[in-house]
Amino acid sequence: MVGNAFKKLRRDLAFRHGRRLRQFNYWLLARVAMTIIWLLRLLPVDSALNFADRAARRIGPWVGRHNVAIANLRNAYPEKSDREIQAIASDMWGNMARLAAEYIFLDALFDYDPAATKPGRIEVKGIEHFVHIAEEPKPHIIFTAHLGNFELLPVAAATFGMNITALFRPPNNPYLADYILSTRRSTMGSLLPSSTGASFALAAILEKGGNIGVLVDQKFSSGLETTFFGRPCESNRVLGTLARHYDCDVYPARCVRLPGNRFRLEIEDKLTLPRTAGGSVDVHGTTQLLNDVVERWVREDPGQWMWFHKRWEISGPRGKHRQARQRGEAA
């Protein structure tokens, strides 16, 4: 009895100590990040972004996630040499560093003016779709991926008068999350944190005829089994489910990073969604279609996607069965 009580006390103390240590690590990391942000603000925009790119290319290979990125790249591109794989990974780290630094300069970077006679940092492709979605009195779903600076898409939507609520996943670090959320809200309009109940909130927006923006390229535990680059993965079914329920148009949108710290924002034609024999939207087929669109984008410029994400990790019993089968095949 006393022994059990002692063990419980020890577990409670370890939990509290671990939680405090984790909070301290979050606080320390946030302080370091804010110091770097303060230093970058002292530089001109282009100098700050180029510096972040160079620094990340040097530091990235020493980060644990670099090994995940290399493994993913080798599986996705078995025909590429080690030099080509390392070059893509280096571009990825440069892109991610630029994305982080660009939070500081979003107002300065987004200079798109439909009436401008000279090109700026931002060019837009698919203007007619931006205008159509903004003016059409019905719900729409716009999806994108972690490519280029995807955060600029909601800013562009607001420029064309599009009322859109973007679903986003806040960082685990609460101190950085507060800063990023305040930065996003000042330029991007309505935001919805990804959490339990988010799908119901998205449904409520569509119910009222609103528009939603969703990132679709991350692993979703216990999601639908689909493929990406020909390999099994788990994907979130929420977009397909909402499209079926509200029978609304779905548009692909992306940001392409261009040389000279410039960007191309584009919305493609609405997708023709696969249908069941009964005529309703096929959720699984739609989810796979989204993966196929993102794969096409990534293949066009693989260095602009975040390869360190464990996109192909299969969770739960499904993953254990797959691992056991692979071990059996290897034996």
Side-chain angles (χ1 to χ4, degrees):
M1 193 78 161
V2 175
N4 290 336
F6 179 74
K7 288 180 181 178
K8 183 179 184 303
L9 177 61
R10 187 170 58 183
R11 285 198 303 269
D12 290 344
L13 290 174
F15 175 77
R16 292 175 186 173
H17 176 72
R19 185 172 58 183
R20 289 173 182 171
L21 181 60
R22 184 167 58 252
Q23 286 299 112
F24 175 74
N25 287 337
Y26 282 152
W27 178 86
L28 184 61
L29 179 59
R31 297 284 70 77
V32 172
M34 297 307 292
T35 300
I36 294 173
I37 288 171
W38 179 78
L39 292 172
L40 288 175
R41 283 186 184 277
L42 300 178
L43 299 174
V45 175
D46 290 303
S47 298
L49 299 183
N50 293 338
F51 171 78
D53 184 297
R54 291 194 301 270
R57 289 173 185 269
R58 290 179 177 273
I59 298 171
W62 297 95
V63 176
R65 285 282 177 148
H66 184 74
N67 294 329
V68 176
I70 294 298
N72 284 337
L73 282 163
R74 284 176 177 156
N75 285 322
Y77 295 102
E79 75 283 2
K80 291 188 180 296
S81 66
D82 284 345
R83 178 177 294 182
E84 290 173 311
I85 294 296
Q86 292 291 346
I88 295 173
S90 180
D91 288 343
M92 176 202 70
W93 288 119
N95 173 69
M96 297 308 299
R98 286 179 179 275
L99 174 63
E102 284 158 1
Y103 274 112
I104 310 169
F105 303 107
L106 277 179
D107 289 339
L109 289 173
F110 193 86
D111 61 355
Y112 179 74
D113 180 0
T117 56
K118 294 182 179 180
R121 291 185 185 272
I122 306 291
E123 61 182 60
V124 179
K125 183 178 179 182
I127 293 175
E128 68 278 9
H129 296 317
F130 276 105
V131 174
H132 174 75
I133 294 170
E135 295 179 348
E136 189 174 35
K138 57 177 288 188
H140 305 84
I141 300 175
I142 298 95
F143 74 91
T144 190
H146 292 83
L147 288 160
N149 189 332
F150 53 92
E151 305 283 10
L152 291 169
L153 288 166
V155 185
T159 299
F160 290 98
M162 186 193 302
N163 182 20
I164 187 168
T165 298
L167 181 69
F168 79 102
R169 182 184 182 279
N172 293 330
N173 187 318
Y175 305 101
L176 288 178
D178 288 343
Y179 169 76
I180 291 174
L181 183 58
S182 64
T183 303
R184 281 171 160 168
R185 278 182 171 154
S186 65
T187 55
M188 300 178 193
S190 300
L191 293 169
L192 178 66
S194 177
S195 60
T196 303
S199 59
F200 296 104
L202 293 175
I205 293 167
L206 295 174
E207 185 74 41
K208 297 176 182 177
N211 307 307
I212 61 172
V214 186
L215 285 154
V216 299
D217 58 335
Q218 288 187 304
K219 164 186 163 58
F220 188 79
S221 297
S222 301
L224 291 178
E225 185 164 356
T226 54
T227 60
F228 188 56
F229 278 79
R231 299 171 59 205
C233 63
E234 294 179 313
S235 301
N236 196 334
R237 66 186 299 146
V238 66
L239 192 153
T241 301
L242 292 172
R244 180 179 64 182
H245 188 75
Y246 295 98
D247 202 17
C248 52
D249 294 336
V250 176
Y251 287 83
R254 63 169 168 169
C255 172
V256 180
R257 193 178 294 282
L258 303 174
N261 295 317
R262 298 183 65 250
F263 310 87
R264 182 172 69 249
L265 308 178
E266 58 182 61
I267 293 189
E268 300 178 358
D269 295 340
K270 67 181 180 182
L271 296 180
T272 300
L273 302 180
R275 301 272 174 169
T276 65
S280 61
V281 171
D282 182 337
V283 175
H284 189 278
T286 295
T287 306
Q288 181 60 56
L289 178 59
L290 305 181
N291 283 2
D292 295 341
V293 171
V294 174
E295 180 177 335
R296 168 171 58 83
W297 290 341
V298 175
R299 286 188 180 278
E300 289 180 15
D301 197 332
Q304 295 196 29
W305 192 62
M306 51 173 206
W307 289 94
F308 56 75
H309 177 60
K310 296 181 180 180
R311 182 66 180 95
W312 291 274
E313 184 178 74
I314 305 297
S315 60
R318 185 190 296 168
K320 293 179 181 178
H321 290 322
R322 186 175 297 280
Q323 291 172 3
R325 187 169 64 250
Q326 290 173 346
R327 284 195 296 268
E329 292 172 351

